[in-house]
Amino acid sequence: MLPSPGFRHLPAVLTDHQRAGLQASINRMIEGFDLAASTAVFSTAADAQTRDRYFLDSARGVSPFLEAGCVDASGALTRPKAECINKIGHALHDHDAAFAALGRHPAVVAALRQVADEPWALMQSMVIMKPPGIGGEVRWHQDGTFLSDQPESVIGFWFALEDATPDNACLQFKVDGHLDPLSERYRVEHADGSNRFEALAPLAWPDADGSETRYAPCKAGDALMFGGRIAHASSTNQSSRSRRAITLHFRRAATDWCRDNWLQRAALPDFLV
């Protein structure tokens, strides 16, 4: 558990050269995506089972997820390709050299070793696109709801590839949210694909007046580090500026990864740092 305020701001983690390399990798991914399969999944006609399978399979690959409202009734995109992608996930570090290097960045490894001086495993990597004018809201949540190990150790890193401010939907955290219990768990029965949210403890999300909210603006190249219990969110990006970011999630390698987590790496090798 991280001390108050429950997250760390790590300035200037990425150089301009490193950011450019990551941006180039992301752009190559976007260019290579055939969104025909994705539009079928994210159209209003798609059934829940199809969406769930796409989500679960993304744990081991590089898959685009589309913004709400960017696919019309005929299945066509309503905006340019890059502006229609909400995120890309969730095993980029297993398939792209720039993301593998980010997972082993010296500043990341040093920060993890300050929490526990032992090996850590990178479980998830994703790009959050937040395109201008359409980048969707990420509602209040705790990462531990979706990524859980025993004993609890999941740590997230959020890297700003571009300046992030309240105007273009920087992250916001619940004040002292790291002291909260875990509110719920998202559990998946992988044998049949069924899933459910299990309530664990009552938890109120921050009020709309912002009195319980702390914004975390970042310069391009900065990073944020936070644990699995602190509630965080980001608003819709209604600005004219994009706000690309990368998120990585680690756990202590010695812990047990819960079998009912949605994310299961299956045959992918452990990614240890």
Side-chain angles (χ1 to χ4, degrees), residues 149-243:
D149 61 341
Q150 296 296 329
E152 181 182 345
S153 74
V154 171
I155 295 285
F157 286 83
W158 187 95
F159 301 86
L161 295 180
E162 301 168 304
D163 290 349
T165 69
D167 289 339
N168 70 339
C170 71
L171 282 192
Q172 45 191 298
F173 292 89
K174 182 181 179 186
V175 174
D176 290 334
H178 63 298
L179 301 177
D180 287 332
L182 190 63
S183 174
E184 57 184 353
R185 277 284 320 283
Y186 178 65
R187 299 185 184 275
V188 174
E189 177 53 62
H190 287 270
D192 60 13
S194 61
N195 56 77
R196 63 189 174 90
F197 282 92
E198 178 188 5
L200 301 178
L203 181 63
W205 304 125
D207 293 331
D209 65 7
S211 60
E212 296 179 284
T213 298
R214 178 164 177 172
Y215 285 92
C218 289
K219 293 289 188 183
D222 291 357
L224 299 168
M225 176 184 181
F226 49 94
R229 293 196 181 194
I230 185 167
H232 55 286
S234 64
S235 63
T236 302
N237 183 9
Q238 299 182 12
S239 78
S240 60
R241 296 183 297 118
S242 62
R243 196 230 65 183

Side-chain angles (χ1 to χ4, degrees), residues 6-252:
F7 64 91
R8 287 181 59 191
H9 182 197
L10 307 174
V13 170
L14 301 178
T15 65
D16 289 347
H17 178 72
Q18 289 169 328
R19 286 194 299 111
L22 289 161
Q23 290 277 37
S25 285
I26 294 167
N27 290 335
R28 284 194 297 270
M29 291 174 193
I30 294 170
E31 290 171 7
F33 287 143
D34 177 1
L35 293 189
S38 299
T39 56
V41 171
F42 291 93
S43 72
T44 55
D47 59 60
Q49 186 175 13
T50 298
R51 291 174 185 258
D52 289 345
R53 178 46 53 192
Y54 186 90
F55 179 54
L56 296 178
D57 288 347
S58 74
R60 296 170 291 280
V62 178
S63 302
F65 291 74
L66 303 187
E67 290 284 358
C70 75
V71 182
D72 66 19
S74 68
L77 299 179
T78 60
R79 287 172 172 258
K81 186 178 184 180
E83 294 182 13
C84 289
I85 298 175
N86 171 281
K87 71 174 180 177
I88 305 170
H90 287 91
L92 284 64
H93 57 290
D94 293 285
H95 300 280
D96 183 273
F99 282 82
L102 180 63
R104 295 192 168 103
H105 192 292
V108 171
V109 176
L112 289 170
R113 292 294 169 85
Q114 289 178 359
V115 176
D117 189 12
E118 59 188 81
W120 288 75
L122 176 53
M123 303 303 295
Q124 173 179 263
S125 52
M126 58 182 172
V127 177
I128 309 297
M129 296 289 288
K130 285 285 186 181
I134 190 175
E137 175 188 20
V138 177
R139 297 180 179 179
W140 288 102
H141 67 284
Q142 298 166 296
D143 287 346
T145 292
F146 303 98
L147 303 171
S148 184
D149 61 341
Q150 296 296 329
E152 181 182 345
S153 74
V154 171
I155 295 285
F157 286 83
W158 187 95
F159 301 86
L161 295 180
E162 301 168 304
D163 290 349
T165 69
D167 289 339
N168 70 339
C170 71
L171 282 192
Q172 45 191 298
F173 292 89
K174 182 181 179 186
V175 174
D176 290 334
H178 63 298
L179 301 177
D180 287 332
L182 190 63
S183 174
E184 57 184 353
R185 277 284 320 283
Y186 178 65
R187 299 185 184 275
V188 174
E189 177 53 62
H190 287 270
D192 60 13
S194 61
N195 56 77
R196 63 189 174 90
F197 282 92
E198 178 188 5
L200 301 178
L203 181 63
W205 304 125
D207 293 331
D209 65 7
S211 60
E212 296 179 284
T213 298
R214 178 164 177 172
Y215 285 92
C218 289
K219 293 289 188 183
D222 291 357
L224 299 168
M225 176 184 181
F226 49 94
R229 293 196 181 194
I230 185 167
H232 55 286
S234 64
S235 63
T236 302
N237 183 9
Q238 299 182 12
S239 78
S240 60
R241 296 183 297 118
S242 62
R243 196 230 65 183
R244 282 191 187 182
I246 294 170
T247 301
L248 306 180
H249 284 96
F250 295 83
R251 68 173 174 94
R252 288 169 47 215

